[in-house]
Amino acid sequence: RKEVEQDPGPFNVPEGATVAFNCTYSNSASQSFFWYRQDCRKEPKLLMSVYSSGNEDGRFTAQLNRASQYISLLIRDSKLSDSATYLCVVSWNTGNQFYFGTGTSLTVIP
Amino acid sequence: DADVTQTPRNRITKTGKRIMLECSQTKGHDRMYWYRQDPGLGLQLIYYSFDVKDINKGEISDGYSVSRQAQAKFSLSLESAIPNQTALYFCATSHTASTGELFFGEGSRLTVL
């Protein structure tokens, strides 16, 4: 079983739509949670960390459910520039290792 | 200039050849990592290092070796490349006290024929 699992998509949504991605993780001792964004053939970059109480950054909202061991990312008012692959990342053992999901592909259509 | 630099960016080689991928960083971070990315598999950790004297195997270290020549340099070697090592390789760094942000190089695309 993979440490971190994501629906690979693809998600194709019109501009202005709201889209949500989920991610599940297997290790209940996981301590830190993140969403990264990866553009085609580029390196991953941190989009946002995910905190226990949930957090928001502009159009992006991240939620953590420790009891069910899943993380979500909500994107409101989708822009063309949001088209990318979104990677769920989990770490434990004080960040000694980071485990990546396979990524969810999003295409925002004009 | 990029904070995390990988060379070469692209390499085509033949089975059995020795290959070295190099990574250097100007971020002053202690922690450095090598990942490989394959379609449908996500990023998998090959090796990681928390300082010059510390080297640790990751999930998929077989067939690879690393060298941490200095705080800023971490190289990955394939002693005898095989076709299933064809992948996109990323070097990454993080700060010791980091809350988790990894800073990635632009990647090295390796093709083994």
Side-chain angles (χ1 to χ4, degrees), chain A residues 2-3 32 34 36 38 41-46 49 87 89 94-103, chain B residues 31 33 35 37 40-43 45 48 50 57-59 88 90 94 99-102 104-106 109:
Chain A
K2 287 185 176 295
E3 304 288 354
S32 302
F34 314 91
Y36 277 70
Q38 185 175 24
R41 297 180 181 273
K42 300 280 191 178
E43 72 273 25
K45 294 184 180 180
L46 180 68
S49 300
L87 304 172
V89 184
T94 62
N96 283 358
Q97 292 194 34
F98 297 85
Y99 291 90
F100 286 75
T102 54
Chain B
R31 298 183 175 189
Y33 308 78
Y35 288 89
Q37 187 173 37
L41 291 180
L43 279 86
L45 182 62
Y48 61 102
F50 286 174
K57 292 183 177 181
E59 305 164 84
L88 181 58
F90 286 105
S94 71
T99 55
E101 184 168 6
L102 290 169
F104 286 86
E106 293 179 304
R109 186 167 297 279

Side-chain angles (χ1 to χ4, degrees), chain A residues 34-107:
Chain A
F34 314 91
W35 284 100
Y36 277 70
R37 170 191 169 129
Q38 185 175 24
D39 293 300
C40 187
R41 297 180 181 273
K42 300 280 191 178
E43 72 273 25
K45 294 184 180 180
L46 180 68
L47 177 67
M48 59 195 303
S49 300
V50 186
Y51 303 120
S52 296
S53 56
N55 48 298
E56 188 173 304
D57 183 2
R59 298 181 292 108
F60 299 85
T61 300
Q63 297 279 354
L64 168 64
N65 184 319
R66 284 189 183 271
S68 301
Q69 295 182 207
Y70 81 78
I71 308 152
S72 64
L73 176 68
L74 183 77
I75 305 175
R76 292 182 300 278
D77 188 23
S78 298
K79 312 291 185 191
L80 296 177
S81 58
D82 293 334
S83 297
T85 296
Y86 291 83
L87 304 172
C88 175
V89 184
V90 174
S91 75
W92 53 87
N93 197 14
T94 62
N96 283 358
Q97 292 194 34
F98 297 85
Y99 291 90
F100 286 75
T102 54
T104 299
S105 174
L106 171 67
T107 300

